[in-house]
């Protein structure tokens, strides 16, 4: 199995011959509006797609979308909608997002509203996990979406948390299921008021300590309202003693997991077009 970091929350999971694109934001650098009203109003995304993205996208067989309404273009933008529509890639989504995606001509395959109900997927199963995309007043304005838990025979179990803070629901899920790989947002995103709407450094470290598996942190250094940097998160992981299980891939990097074994050595991937973690 491989995980290819594209940019922000956009990744590609490789299960055998299957390539699953997650939360595609495919716009060019600066093509999307700022996400803050005051201070540095930076246009998004802050960085371009890695050079390897075009070839990687050519191999995609499925797409997963955690949420996409109320202006959440960082999980599905117009460029990605157009690409998915032209390719007619099967798009797995929630029943809430299904009508929104259907009117855009996408090939949708909605899952159940029941978080306990697993659906067949790639010879295994997929189920949703509740997200909380911020609390209080800001939480009432957000689209909360879901995470996904994927179990495929012969492959590590994968939990894609989606955009969420570290709620009790998420903690209970991790402690109960102990995914072998978890992909979590780490950018500490926030707007001009209210608290964080996704995990930041402290919550990612806490999540990693609770998990017995490998944790992959993304949603970093690509949006103007996400202040956490890769270097700051790496430093915190070292201080907390979790650097051996927390991976912080650069855009374009590849994490390869051989069979059911987890890689022993943790690396912060350099800014290379491709990097591979050893699986010995």
């Amino acid at each position: 199995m491989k995980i290819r970091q594209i940019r922000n929350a956009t990744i590609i999971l490789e299960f055998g011959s299957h390539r699953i694109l997650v939360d595609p934001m495919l716009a060019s650098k600066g093509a999307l509006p700022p996400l803050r009203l005051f201070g540095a109003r930076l246009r998004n995304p802050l960085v371009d797609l890695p050079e390897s993205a075009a070839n990687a996208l050519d191999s995609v067989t499925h797409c997963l979308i955690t949420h996409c309404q109320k202006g959440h273009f960082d999980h599905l933008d117009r460029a990605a909608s157009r690409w998915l529509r032209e390719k007619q890639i099967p798009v797995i989504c929630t029943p809430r997002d299904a009508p929104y995606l259907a009117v855009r001509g996408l090939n949708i395959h909605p899952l159940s509203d029941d978080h306990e109900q697993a659906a067949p997927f790639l010879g295994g199963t997929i189920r949703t996990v509740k997200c909380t995309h911020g609390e209080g007043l800001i939480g009432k304005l957000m689209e909360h979406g879901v995470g996904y838990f994927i179990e495929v025979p012969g492959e590590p179990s994968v939990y894609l948390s989606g955009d969420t803070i570290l709620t009790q629901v998420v903690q209970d899920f991790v402690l109960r299921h102990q995914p072998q790989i978890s992909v979590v947002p780490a950018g500490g995103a926030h707007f001009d008021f209210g608290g964080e709407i996704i995990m930041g450094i402290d919550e990612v470290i806490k999540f990693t300590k609770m998990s017995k598996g490998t944790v992959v942190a993304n949603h970093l250094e690509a949006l103007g309202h996400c202040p956490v940097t890769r270097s700051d998160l790496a430093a915190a992981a070292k201080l907390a003693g979790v650097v051996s299980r927390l991976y912080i891939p650069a855009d374009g990097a590849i994490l390869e997991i051989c069979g059911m074994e987890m890689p022993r050595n943790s690396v912060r991937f350099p800014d290379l077009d491709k990097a591979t973690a050893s699986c010995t």
Side-chain angles (χ1 to χ4, degrees):
M1 178 193 168
K2 296 179 182 178
I3 300 176
R4 183 190 293 266
Q5 172 66 26
I6 302 298
R7 181 181 59 187
N8 196 52
T10 307
I11 62 173
I12 296 177
L13 302 175
E14 299 187 11
F15 291 102
S17 61
H18 303 290
R19 305 289 184 270
I20 302 97
L21 176 65
V22 180
D23 284 345
M25 176 178 64
L26 304 183
S28 300
K29 177 181 176 180
L32 302 172
L35 287 167
R36 300 189 68 175
L37 295 175
F38 304 103
R41 299 187 71 248
L42 303 174
R43 290 189 63 83
N44 295 293
L46 304 180
V47 294
D48 266 320
L49 290 167
E51 292 182 3
S52 59
N55 286 338
L57 288 169
D58 283 342
S59 67
V60 166
T61 59
H62 300 76
C63 178
L64 291 177
I65 294 177
T66 61
H67 64 299
C68 58
Q69 299 186 57
K70 294 186 179 179
H72 286 85
F73 55 70
D74 57 318
H75 294 263
L76 180 72
D77 60 9
R78 289 182 179 178
S81 291
R82 182 169 57 252
W83 184 86
L84 290 168
R85 182 171 57 251
E86 291 173 353
K87 300 290 185 180
Q88 281 299 291
I89 299 291
V91 176
I92 292 85
C93 63
T94 65
R96 174 175 171 77
D97 284 338
Y100 177 87
L101 299 173
V103 299
R104 285 156 177 78
L106 273 58
N107 178 13
I108 60 168
H109 297 262
L111 299 177
S112 170
D113 273 327
D114 184 356
H115 296 307
E116 297 299 322
Q117 182 176 332
F121 186 61
L122 307 183
T125 60
I126 185 171
R127 51 174 288 194
T128 60
V129 184
K130 182 180 178 182
C131 284
T132 300
H133 202 354
E135 295 180 314
L137 176 59
I138 193 67
K140 294 179 180 180
L141 300 174
M142 301 299 289
E143 183 72 18
H144 292 278
V146 298
Y148 292 104
F149 184 49
I150 304 170
E151 295 179 287
V152 174
E155 300 283 2
S157 58
V158 179
Y159 170 44
L160 306 169
S161 76
D163 273 10
T164 188
I165 55 177
L166 187 58
T167 62
Q168 193 61 51
V169 169
V170 172
Q171 294 180 63
D172 291 345
F173 176 84
V174 172
L175 291 172
R176 176 184 174 188
H177 293 278
Q178 286 296 342
Q180 289 167 288
I181 301 172
S182 298
V183 182
V184 301
H190 61 86
F191 297 110
D192 298 299
F193 66 94
E196 292 181 348
I197 57 173
I198 60 174
M199 298 184 208
I201 290 177
D202 291 344
E203 290 194 337
V204 170
I205 297 300
K206 183 177 180 180
F207 182 102
T208 306
K209 287 182 175 179
M210 288 192 312
S211 173
K212 296 178 181 178
T214 297
V215 179
V216 180
N218 67 3
H219 219 306
L220 293 161
E221 300 179 353
L223 297 174
H225 70 322
C226 292
V228 175
T229 65
R230 288 179 170 95
S231 59
D232 286 346
L233 181 57
K238 184 176 181 179
L239 187 64
V242 296
V243 71
S244 63
R245 291 188 298 104
L246 179 61
Y247 287 75
I248 312 168
D251 293 346
I254 298 173
L255 171 63
E256 182 172 3
I257 295 106
C258 303
M260 299 297 287
E261 296 183 13
M262 296 296 107
R264 289 183 199 166
N265 63 312
S266 177
V267 295
R268 178 178 177 269
F269 291 124
D271 294 325
L272 299 177
D273 183 53
K274 177 178 179 180
T276 305
S278 65
C279 316
T280 57

